[in-house]
Amino acid sequence: MLHKSLIAAAVALVALAATPVHAQIKIGVVTSSTGPVSLVGIPQKNTVPLLPTKAGDLKIEYISLDDASDPTKSVTEVKKLIAEYNVDAIIGPSGSPNAMGVISFVAEAGVPMLAPVGTAAVVLPMTEQKKWVFKTTQNDDLIAKALVEQMVRTKVKTVGFMTINDPFGENWGKVFSELAAKNNIKIVANERYQRTDTSVTAQTLKIMAANPDAVLVAAPGAATVLPQTTLYDQGYKGKMYQTHGAALPAFLQLGKNKVEGTILAASLMLVLPEIFDGNPSKKVATDYVDAYKKMYGSVPATFGANVYDAGLLLQQAIPTAAKKGKPGTKEFRAALRDALENTKELVGTQGVYNMSAADHSGFDERGRELITVKNGNWTLLK
């Protein structure tokens, strides 16, 4: 009897060993779902349950952590994901300073990072460290070119420029000043402010004194609103421009009638009903928005879509990487980095990705639309 039991047990073990075991990919996600960057981080954290759970035959597990908008905590959480959870890739962090602060750590560990942040400084200029970073938002120059072209068409000759004092603002200052100079647009006032400032009166008074044809505010999230509403209250009557950092419902809700007429270049997600059906991103974006609304009862900010696209990029790259290494190993992560860098014509919510060794953002003109605020809503600029 015992002999038969042992044989049965052995047969069971052999059968178990012959059953294919689906390896699990661990992906870390760091968002700023609390703190000053939470208007960006909350839709990103909320998007995690909507990310793909399989890539080919491999299951994907997401470990989501909150850095409370603190760049120091971003480093702590990224180190934890690498050392304790042995993740194969990281999505995040939410803020530009937060992302800049963790690049050296992901590069040293050889873990690809998909940064859903505004500043192009996370991927440009390309370095040995930055080759481990990919960016799921449009680079600043792509957005700035659309804005400057619109300024030229409408005879804007002078601009007041106001930007946040962090890597996002620093890169925008560089990109916009170069484009403005090439197009004979003079920056007559150039002001900085902090994300947490509760007043920007001193800066906006200097802009008012310069009396520019237009003002461009370059900031992400809730920080986009204060400069514009302050200028409105001071009686500024010129054109107002914003970057894709203002592409969130809170900009309309907080700014109300004071942001009417604002022009920005941003994702088609803001104006989906107006996008023609042949646009390759319309269905992907619509599916994401519908799933988010079903789960949370509200429309996501485009910042959430940046995380969603990161999931799509990884879903496509993982099976290719798995041919060259086992998940959880350095070989797999290196192959995953290579596969991400070779992404071609991947349709995301905000455009089509074509990565290369020199371009780790991958967007072209299909990744932006000129949009304005009309009657309190986003609409395509005609």
Side-chain angles (χ1 to χ4, degrees), residues 162-166 168-170 191-195 218-220 223:
M162 190 160 176
T163 187
I164 198 162
N165 192 22
D166 72 1
F168 181 91
E170 182 180 347
E191 297 296 320
R192 300 288 184 273
Y193 68 107
Q194 303 296 329
R195 188 187 297 267

Side-chain angles (χ1 to χ4, degrees), residues 43-169:
Q44 293 182 340
K45 179 184 178 182
N46 287 349
T47 298
V48 176
L50 305 177
L51 297 179
T53 55
K54 287 191 73 178
D57 291 330
L58 302 176
K59 294 181 180 178
I60 306 174
E61 175 190 0
Y62 299 95
I63 300 104
S64 182
L65 303 176
D66 173 25
D67 64 15
S69 304
D70 180 358
T72 302
K73 193 173 181 186
S74 299
V75 173
T76 301
E77 302 297 25
V78 164
K79 285 182 174 180
K80 182 188 296 183
L81 288 169
I82 293 169
E84 297 181 21
Y85 291 98
N86 196 37
V87 296
D88 288 306
I90 292 173
I91 300 172
S94 300
S96 293
N98 309 60
M100 291 295 293
V102 302
I103 291 174
S104 62
F105 300 100
V106 298
E108 182 181 0
V111 175
M113 181 173 86
L114 293 94
V117 299
T119 182
V122 293
V123 292
L124 294 173
M126 184 56 66
T127 64
E128 274 300 304
Q129 290 188 336
K130 290 179 184 178
K131 76 177 188 179
W132 289 95
V133 183
F134 298 85
K135 181 171 174 283
T136 56
T137 65
Q138 303 89 338
N139 276 347
D140 303 333
D141 61 343
L142 186 68
I143 299 298
K145 284 175 185 175
L147 296 178
V148 171
E149 286 169 3
Q150 205 280 337
M151 290 178 185
V152 171
R153 284 195 300 270
T154 55
K155 311 298 184 188
V156 169
K157 297 295 185 183
T158 58
V159 174
F161 182 57
M162 190 160 176
T163 187
I164 198 162
N165 192 22
D166 72 1
F168 181 91

Side-chain angles (χ1 to χ4, degrees), residues 349-364:
T349 59
Q350 317 211 42
V352 180
Y353 292 89
N354 282 286
M355 303 285 191
S356 69
D359 184 0
H360 277 201
S361 174
F363 283 109
D364 54 26

